[in-house]
């Protein structure tokens, strides 16, 4: 029991720092957007979304360099499943999300396109230099699109911090550092606990690692909901998922010696990712026609509940696999 004390403290302490720093990150990022004349959505899909995806990038790169193929790929795809099913599901269940029609028309279809593109790249069942370069090239193209398509035209009524540009930038960077470091502490503690109970490497990548590296997204998204920044909340999830598929998933191919994907990735995990993403997509489509030309479209609690049910079903499948291998 004493050997598990430090991992338990790491998980609890990491979560505490994560919760405190996430709320301040959203406030400082929104303030930074105002000072630089950038839109809230742009900040959400770049600084917050990409920054909070850094744990996935680090874990996948280290895992690939050490030959842990299942962990590196499972981390990227598992994080997307958790971001959509758990993070977005919890946010929608807490309060209906009022998302701007412009965001849904422009960003959500890009996520579906990126998912389809990544699935086609991986369809051959391998991830090496060609696939890694294809994903990284798409990531660069997406970054160029973000830089050219977002400006300060979207205005949101939010509460900004009464601080200058320099302090807003410093606090944003500091809060990101705290988010990333605390998430890494939590991942370490979670992995140690999982190994103590004999969980396999593949399942660790899809669950414990994916959940741990998704905690910054969860904390940032919930903090965004609390402050009424619904577009930033969805932008954080969408931007993080795109970064995971194009950036994080590219590194195992570029760093490793080439890997054969576990059969379950294309047969179970990728379809689960598509299914969970299509749930809010369907609700957005129905709400769009129901509310006519209204500038904002709601994502209600029913959608959040369905996401959580779907996520629970997926986790149930993983649990059955663990039990069958025991």
């Amino acid at each position: 029991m004493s050997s598990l004390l430090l991992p338990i403290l790491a998980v609890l302490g990491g979560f505490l720092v994560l919760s405190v720093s996430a709320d301040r990150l959203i406030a400082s990022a929104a303030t930074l957007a105002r000072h630089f004349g950038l839109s809230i959505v742009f900040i959400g899909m770049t600084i917050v979304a990409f920054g909070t995806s850094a744990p996935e990038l680090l874990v996948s790169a280290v895992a690939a360099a050490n030959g842990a193929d299942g962990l590196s790929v499972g981390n990227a795809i598992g994080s997307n499943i958790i971001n959509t099913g758990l993070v977005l599901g919890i946010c929608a269940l807490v309060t209906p999300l009022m998302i701007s029609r412009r965001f849904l028309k422009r960003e959500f279809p890009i996520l579906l396109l990126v998912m389809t593109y990544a699935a086609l790249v991986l369809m051959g069942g391998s991830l090496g230099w060609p696939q890694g370069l294809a994903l990284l090239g798409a990531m660069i193209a997406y970054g160029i699109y973000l830089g050219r398509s977002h400006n300060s035209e979207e205005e949101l009524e939010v509460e900004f911090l009464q601080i200058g540009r320099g302090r807003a930038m410093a606090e944003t960077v500091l809060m990101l550092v705290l988010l990333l470091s605390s998430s890494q502490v939590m991942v370490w503690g979670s992995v140690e606990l999982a190994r103590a109970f004999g969980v396999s490497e593949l399942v660790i990548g899809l669950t414990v690692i994916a959940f741990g590296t998704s905690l910054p997204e969860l904390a940032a998204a919930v903090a965004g909901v609390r402050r009424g920044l619904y577009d930033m909340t969805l932008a954080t999830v969408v931007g993080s998922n795109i970064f995971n598929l194009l950036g994080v998933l590219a590194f195992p191919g570029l760093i490793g010696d080439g890997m054969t994907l576990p059969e379950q990735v294309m047969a179970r995990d990728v379809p689960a990712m598509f299914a969970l993403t299509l749930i809010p997509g369907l609700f957005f489509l129905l709400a769009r026609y129901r509310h006519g030309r209204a500038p904002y479209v709601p994502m209600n609690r029913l959608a959040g509940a369905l996401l959580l049910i779907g996520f629970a079903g997926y986790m149930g499948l993983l649990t059955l696999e663990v039990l069958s291998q025991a």
Side-chain angles (χ1 to χ4, degrees), residues 2-322:
S2 59
S3 62
L4 297 179
L5 180 60
L6 188 57
I8 292 174
L9 291 176
V11 172
L12 296 178
F15 182 77
L16 178 62
V17 175
L18 198 74
S19 301
V20 173
S21 58
D23 187 71
R24 192 68 179 183
L25 170 64
I26 297 299
S28 59
T31 303
L32 190 63
R34 183 187 65 174
H35 281 304
F36 280 93
L38 300 174
S39 71
I40 299 298
V41 171
F42 178 79
I43 292 293
M45 296 192 71
T46 54
I47 294 177
V48 179
F50 289 6
T52 54
S53 289
E56 285 91 339
L57 178 62
L58 177 63
V59 170
S60 287
V62 172
N66 289 275
D69 298 352
L71 193 151
S72 60
V73 176
N75 174 42
I77 297 177
S79 293
N80 278 20
I81 292 173
I82 291 174
N83 285 346
T84 305
L86 184 63
V87 175
L88 192 58
I90 289 177
C91 290
L93 199 61
V94 169
T95 181
L97 305 179
M98 299 301 295
I99 310 299
S100 68
R101 182 181 295 270
R102 176 174 298 177
F103 180 86
L104 297 177
K105 183 179 179 180
R106 185 168 54 188
E107 310 302 344
F108 199 78
I110 291 180
L111 174 59
L112 296 176
L113 180 63
V114 167
M115 289 169 55
T116 303
Y117 175 76
L120 292 175
V121 170
L122 300 178
M123 188 172 292
S126 61
L127 181 57
W129 269 91
Q131 292 81 10
L133 288 175
L135 293 171
L136 185 60
M139 181 71 248
I140 295 174
Y142 177 67
I144 295 175
Y145 158 76
L146 281 181
R148 292 182 175 180
S149 63
H150 290 283
N151 49 51
S152 60
E153 61 185 5
E154 299 104 330
E155 293 294 335
L156 296 175
E157 295 182 2
V158 299
E159 179 182 354
F160 294 101
L161 299 175
Q162 299 302 314
I163 57 177
R165 177 185 300 184
R167 181 174 172 181
M169 182 180 298
E171 286 200 11
T172 300
V173 173
L174 176 60
M175 292 307 109
L176 275 174
V177 171
L178 288 176
L179 272 172
L180 301 182
S181 58
S182 59
S183 67
Q184 289 303 305
V185 171
M186 285 195 66
V187 167
W188 175 83
S190 300
V191 169
E192 291 299 313
L193 291 175
R195 287 177 176 172
F197 290 99
V199 180
S200 69
E201 177 186 287
L202 177 59
V203 175
I204 288 177
L206 286 168
T207 55
V208 176
I209 295 293
F211 177 76
T213 54
S214 292
L215 285 173
E217 285 88 345
L218 174 60
V222 171
V225 169
R226 288 177 54 197
R227 291 180 172 272
L229 301 178
Y230 301 129
D231 272 8
M232 176 177 274
T233 296
L234 190 61
T236 299
V237 173
V238 170
S240 177
N241 283 8
I242 291 175
F243 184 78
N244 286 340
L245 290 174
L246 299 182
V248 175
L249 200 56
F251 271 80
L254 296 174
I255 296 178
D257 297 326
M259 65 178 67
T260 299
L261 295 175
E263 182 179 344
Q264 298 93 327
V265 171
M266 299 303 296
R268 179 195 60 203
D269 304 323
V270 171
M273 178 179 64
F274 269 95
L276 287 173
T277 305
L278 290 176
I279 290 176
L282 178 60
F283 272 83
F284 289 145
L285 184 62
L286 293 176
R288 177 181 178 182
Y289 287 102
R290 183 181 304 170
H291 294 271
R293 295 182 176 276
Y296 291 92
V297 174
M299 179 179 173
N300 57 33
R301 289 187 173 92
L302 177 58
L306 289 178
L307 283 173
L308 290 174
I309 292 172
F311 175 74
Y314 171 75
M315 295 303 295
L317 289 177
L318 293 182
T319 301
L320 291 176
E321 178 179 325
V322 172

